[in-house]
Amino acid sequence: MTPFFVMIKCKLGETYKVANAIADAEIASEIYSTSGDYDLLVKFYVEDGADIGHFVNEKVHPVAGIHDTKTVITFKAF
């Protein structure tokens, strides 16, 4: 499995709705509320060789209340 993170900026007042929708969809490994430019930091896993871009486009972007995302691809855990 390949881990990656998506930083999510939500529409005003929508952070908890977005976090709950992602949790209900059971597509994320971990969901964190954050401060700063983004509201949520979400850890996902895809099968090795799977297209992360397609996953984000098809599973994350359709969640209502998301304003913007930034995907962080990881290389190695220490």
Side-chain angles (χ1 to χ4, degrees):
M1 299 291 282
T2 302
F4 67 98
F5 295 84
V6 177
M7 298 165 60
I8 299 175
K9 185 180 293 186
C10 301
K11 294 178 183 174
L12 291 177
E14 299 287 313
T15 301
Y16 285 94
K17 290 179 185 176
V18 171
N20 287 329
I22 292 170
D24 290 346
E26 298 182 352
I27 57 173
S29 170
E30 301 170 48
I31 305 169
Y32 297 95
S33 179
T34 61
S35 62
D37 293 333
Y38 290 87
D39 303 303
L40 298 171
L41 176 65
V42 185
K43 184 177 185 181
F44 297 97
Y45 285 93
V46 292
E47 296 291 333
D48 290 335
D51 189 309
I52 291 171
H54 278 123
F55 178 90
V56 172
N57 189 56
E58 294 169 5
K59 303 288 186 182
V60 180
H61 287 169
V63 174
I66 291 179
H67 176 71
D68 192 17
T69 64
K70 181 176 183 177
T71 302
V72 179
I73 298 172
T74 58
F75 299 101
K76 182 178 178 179
F78 294 93

mmCIF file of all heavy atoms in Angstrom, residues 49-72:
data_model
loop_
_atom_site.group_PDB
_atom_site.id
_atom_site.type_symbol
_atom_site.label_atom_id
_atom_site.label_comp_id
_atom_site.label_asym_id
_atom_site.label_seq_id
_atom_site.Cartn_x
_atom_site.Cartn_y
_atom_site.Cartn_z
ATOM 1 N N GLY A 49 1.021 1.092 -7.040
ATOM 2 C CA GLY A 49 0.844 1.273 -8.467
ATOM 3 C C GLY A 49 -0.445 1.974 -8.857
ATOM 4 O O GLY A 49 -0.636 2.315 -10.027
ATOM 5 N N ALA A 50 -1.345 2.175 -7.908
ATOM 6 C CA ALA A 50 -2.604 2.871 -8.205
ATOM 7 C C ALA A 50 -2.323 4.344 -8.479
ATOM 8 O O ALA A 50 -1.349 4.910 -7.981
ATOM 9 C CB ALA A 50 -3.587 2.730 -7.057
ATOM 10 N N ASP A 51 -3.173 4.967 -9.255
ATOM 11 C CA ASP A 51 -3.023 6.366 -9.624
ATOM 12 C C ASP A 51 -3.599 7.247 -8.512
ATOM 13 O O ASP A 51 -4.823 7.300 -8.331
ATOM 14 C CB ASP A 51 -3.729 6.630 -10.948
ATOM 15 C CG ASP A 51 -3.439 8.001 -11.502
ATOM 16 O OD1 ASP A 51 -3.595 8.996 -10.757
ATOM 17 O OD2 ASP A 51 -3.076 8.090 -12.688
ATOM 18 N N ILE A 52 -2.741 7.936 -7.796
ATOM 19 C CA ILE A 52 -3.167 8.788 -6.693
ATOM 20 C C ILE A 52 -4.040 9.931 -7.209
ATOM 21 O O ILE A 52 -5.037 10.300 -6.587
ATOM 22 C CB ILE A 52 -1.947 9.319 -5.913
ATOM 23 C CG1 ILE A 52 -1.277 8.163 -5.167
ATOM 24 C CG2 ILE A 52 -2.337 10.447 -4.953
ATOM 25 C CD1 ILE A 52 0.059 8.508 -4.529
ATOM 26 N N GLY A 53 -3.688 10.485 -8.334
ATOM 27 C CA GLY A 53 -4.469 11.584 -8.918
ATOM 28 C C GLY A 53 -5.903 11.183 -9.192
ATOM 29 O O GLY A 53 -6.837 11.941 -8.902
ATOM 30 N N HIS A 54 -6.098 9.994 -9.742
ATOM 31 C CA HIS A 54 -7.454 9.518 -10.001
ATOM 32 C C HIS A 54 -8.207 9.299 -8.693
ATOM 33 O O HIS A 54 -9.395 9.629 -8.599
ATOM 34 C CB HIS A 54 -7.440 8.220 -10.816
ATOM 35 C CG HIS A 54 -7.279 8.447 -12.270
ATOM 36 N ND1 HIS A 54 -6.252 7.889 -12.991
ATOM 37 C CD2 HIS A 54 -8.006 9.174 -13.147
ATOM 38 C CE1 HIS A 54 -6.348 8.263 -14.249
ATOM 39 N NE2 HIS A 54 -7.392 9.058 -14.366
ATOM 40 N N PHE A 55 -7.536 8.752 -7.693
ATOM 41 C CA PHE A 55 -8.177 8.533 -6.395
ATOM 42 C C PHE A 55 -8.675 9.862 -5.823
ATOM 43 O O PHE A 55 -9.825 9.979 -5.402
ATOM 44 C CB PHE A 55 -7.209 7.865 -5.419
ATOM 45 C CG PHE A 55 -7.797 7.649 -4.057
ATOM 46 C CD1 PHE A 55 -8.461 6.473 -3.754
ATOM 47 C CD2 PHE A 55 -7.702 8.631 -3.074
ATOM 48 C CE1 PHE A 55 -9.024 6.273 -2.497
ATOM 49 C CE2 PHE A 55 -8.253 8.441 -1.815
ATOM 50 C CZ PHE A 55 -8.920 7.262 -1.526
ATOM 51 N N VAL A 56 -7.799 10.866 -5.799
ATOM 52 C CA VAL A 56 -8.179 12.169 -5.252
ATOM 53 C C VAL A 56 -9.323 12.774 -6.068
ATOM 54 O O VAL A 56 -10.291 13.283 -5.510
ATOM 55 C CB VAL A 56 -6.962 13.116 -5.197
ATOM 56 C CG1 VAL A 56 -7.377 14.536 -4.821
ATOM 57 C CG2 VAL A 56 -5.917 12.589 -4.226
ATOM 58 N N ASN A 57 -9.220 12.697 -7.373
ATOM 59 C CA ASN A 57 -10.243 13.267 -8.251
ATOM 60 C C ASN A 57 -11.591 12.580 -8.092
ATOM 61 O O ASN A 57 -12.637 13.232 -8.105
ATOM 62 C CB ASN A 57 -9.776 13.178 -9.706
ATOM 63 C CG ASN A 57 -10.676 13.931 -10.639
ATOM 64 O OD1 ASN A 57 -10.904 15.123 -10.464
ATOM 65 N ND2 ASN A 57 -11.204 13.232 -11.629
ATOM 66 N N GLU A 58 -11.579 11.259 -7.932
ATOM 67 C CA GLU A 58 -12.826 10.497 -7.898
ATOM 68 C C GLU A 58 -13.400 10.313 -6.497
ATOM 69 O O GLU A 58 -14.614 10.166 -6.337
ATOM 70 C CB GLU A 58 -12.596 9.127 -8.533
ATOM 71 C CG GLU A 58 -12.275 9.217 -10.009
ATOM 72 C CD GLU A 58 -11.794 7.897 -10.602
ATOM 73 O OE1 GLU A 58 -11.799 6.870 -9.890
ATOM 74 O OE2 GLU A 58 -11.380 7.912 -11.777
ATOM 75 N N LYS A 59 -12.555 10.290 -5.455
ATOM 76 C CA LYS A 59 -13.024 9.990 -4.097
ATOM 77 C C LYS A 59 -13.035 11.196 -3.163
ATOM 78 O O LYS A 59 -13.876 11.273 -2.280
ATOM 79 C CB LYS A 59 -12.151 8.900 -3.463
ATOM 80 C CG LYS A 59 -12.076 7.613 -4.241
ATOM 81 C CD LYS A 59 -13.368 6.847 -4.159
ATOM 82 C CE LYS A 59 -13.196 5.498 -4.839
ATOM 83 N NZ LYS A 59 -14.412 4.717 -4.832
ATOM 84 N N VAL A 60 -12.098 12.122 -3.342
ATOM 85 C CA VAL A 60 -11.981 13.243 -2.412
ATOM 86 C C VAL A 60 -12.683 14.489 -2.938
ATOM 87 O O VAL A 60 -13.511 15.083 -2.241
ATOM 88 C CB VAL A 60 -10.497 13.550 -2.093
ATOM 89 C CG1 VAL A 60 -10.381 14.720 -1.123
ATOM 90 C CG2 VAL A 60 -9.797 12.315 -1.538
ATOM 91 N N HIS A 61 -12.371 14.885 -4.148
ATOM 92 C CA HIS A 61 -12.935 16.121 -4.693
ATOM 93 C C HIS A 61 -14.461 16.170 -4.723
ATOM 94 O O HIS A 61 -15.026 17.255 -4.557
ATOM 95 C CB HIS A 61 -12.373 16.396 -6.082
ATOM 96 C CG HIS A 61 -10.956 16.848 -6.048
ATOM 97 N ND1 HIS A 61 -10.180 16.944 -7.187
ATOM 98 C CD2 HIS A 61 -10.134 17.236 -5.029
ATOM 99 C CE1 HIS A 61 -8.975 17.360 -6.875
ATOM 100 N NE2 HIS A 61 -8.917 17.545 -5.572
ATOM 101 N N PRO A 62 -15.168 15.059 -4.899
ATOM 102 C CA PRO A 62 -16.639 15.137 -4.895
ATOM 103 C C PRO A 62 -17.267 15.433 -3.524
ATOM 104 O O PRO A 62 -18.462 15.730 -3.457
ATOM 105 C CB PRO A 62 -17.076 13.753 -5.373
ATOM 106 C CG PRO A 62 -15.913 13.210 -6.128
ATOM 107 C CD PRO A 62 -14.716 13.752 -5.407
ATOM 108 N N VAL A 63 -16.494 15.377 -2.443
ATOM 109 C CA VAL A 63 -17.047 15.627 -1.115
ATOM 110 C C VAL A 63 -17.509 17.087 -1.032
ATOM 111 O O VAL A 63 -16.722 18.009 -1.269
ATOM 112 C CB VAL A 63 -16.018 15.313 -0.009
ATOM 113 C CG1 VAL A 63 -16.551 15.710 1.359
ATOM 114 C CG2 VAL A 63 -15.629 13.837 -0.038
ATOM 115 N N ALA A 64 -18.766 17.277 -0.695
ATOM 116 C CA ALA A 64 -19.333 18.622 -0.600
ATOM 117 C C ALA A 64 -18.641 19.420 0.495
ATOM 118 O O ALA A 64 -18.329 18.890 1.563
ATOM 119 C CB ALA A 64 -20.823 18.536 -0.315
ATOM 120 N N GLY A 65 -18.377 20.693 0.217
ATOM 121 C CA GLY A 65 -17.781 21.586 1.204
ATOM 122 C C GLY A 65 -16.291 21.791 1.060
ATOM 123 O O GLY A 65 -15.705 22.595 1.772
ATOM 124 N N ILE A 66 -15.667 21.073 0.133
ATOM 125 C CA ILE A 66 -14.227 21.251 -0.095
ATOM 126 C C ILE A 66 -14.018 22.435 -1.030
ATOM 127 O O ILE A 66 -14.638 22.526 -2.086
ATOM 128 C CB ILE A 66 -13.589 19.972 -0.682
ATOM 129 C CG1 ILE A 66 -13.589 18.868 0.374
ATOM 130 C CG2 ILE A 66 -12.166 20.258 -1.167
ATOM 131 C CD1 ILE A 66 -13.001 17.555 -0.104
ATOM 132 N N HIS A 67 -13.135 23.334 -0.626
ATOM 133 C CA HIS A 67 -12.808 24.505 -1.443
ATOM 134 C C HIS A 67 -11.529 24.282 -2.252
ATOM 135 O O HIS A 67 -11.444 24.686 -3.407
ATOM 136 C CB HIS A 67 -12.657 25.732 -0.551
ATOM 137 C CG HIS A 67 -12.220 26.959 -1.277
ATOM 138 N ND1 HIS A 67 -13.046 27.632 -2.137
ATOM 139 C CD2 HIS A 67 -11.041 27.616 -1.289
ATOM 140 C CE1 HIS A 67 -12.395 28.664 -2.649
ATOM 141 N NE2 HIS A 67 -11.172 28.674 -2.155
ATOM 142 N N ASP A 68 -10.525 23.621 -1.639
ATOM 143 C CA ASP A 68 -9.230 23.443 -2.296
ATOM 144 C C ASP A 68 -8.505 22.272 -1.632
ATOM 145 O O ASP A 68 -8.777 21.940 -0.477
ATOM 146 C CB ASP A 68 -8.401 24.717 -2.131
ATOM 147 C CG ASP A 68 -7.169 24.767 -3.013
ATOM 148 O OD1 ASP A 68 -7.088 23.983 -3.985
ATOM 149 O OD2 ASP A 68 -6.274 25.588 -2.742
ATOM 150 N N THR A 69 -7.601 21.643 -2.374
ATOM 151 C CA THR A 69 -6.797 20.561 -1.812
ATOM 152 C C THR A 69 -5.344 20.702 -2.252
ATOM 153 O O THR A 69 -5.045 21.342 -3.261
ATOM 154 C CB THR A 69 -7.288 19.160 -2.256
ATOM 155 O OG1 THR A 69 -7.141 19.037 -3.673
ATOM 156 C CG2 THR A 69 -8.722 18.917 -1.860
ATOM 157 N N LYS A 70 -4.473 20.091 -1.466
ATOM 158 C CA LYS A 70 -3.056 19.987 -1.819
ATOM 159 C C LYS A 70 -2.631 18.574 -1.452
ATOM 160 O O LYS A 70 -2.723 18.172 -0.293
ATOM 161 C CB LYS A 70 -2.221 21.005 -1.059
ATOM 162 C CG LYS A 70 -0.749 20.952 -1.406
ATOM 163 C CD LYS A 70 0.020 22.044 -0.692
ATOM 164 C CE LYS A 70 1.475 22.025 -1.112
ATOM 165 N NZ LYS A 70 2.230 23.122 -0.476
ATOM 166 N N THR A 71 -2.179 17.815 -2.433
ATOM 167 C CA THR A 71 -1.778 16.433 -2.216
ATOM 168 C C THR A 71 -0.281 16.364 -1.941
ATOM 169 O O THR A 71 0.516 16.964 -2.662
ATOM 170 C CB THR A 71 -2.128 15.562 -3.443
ATOM 171 O OG1 THR A 71 -3.541 15.662 -3.678
ATOM 172 C CG2 THR A 71 -1.745 14.125 -3.238
ATOM 173 N N VAL A 72 0.069 15.617 -0.899
ATOM 174 C CA VAL A 72 1.474 15.431 -0.517
ATOM 175 C C VAL A 72 1.782 13.942 -0.670
ATOM 176 O O VAL A 72 1.237 13.110 0.048
ATOM 177 C CB VAL A 72 1.735 15.878 0.934
ATOM 178 C CG1 VAL A 72 3.188 15.655 1.298
ATOM 179 C CG2 VAL A 72 1.341 17.328 1.112
#
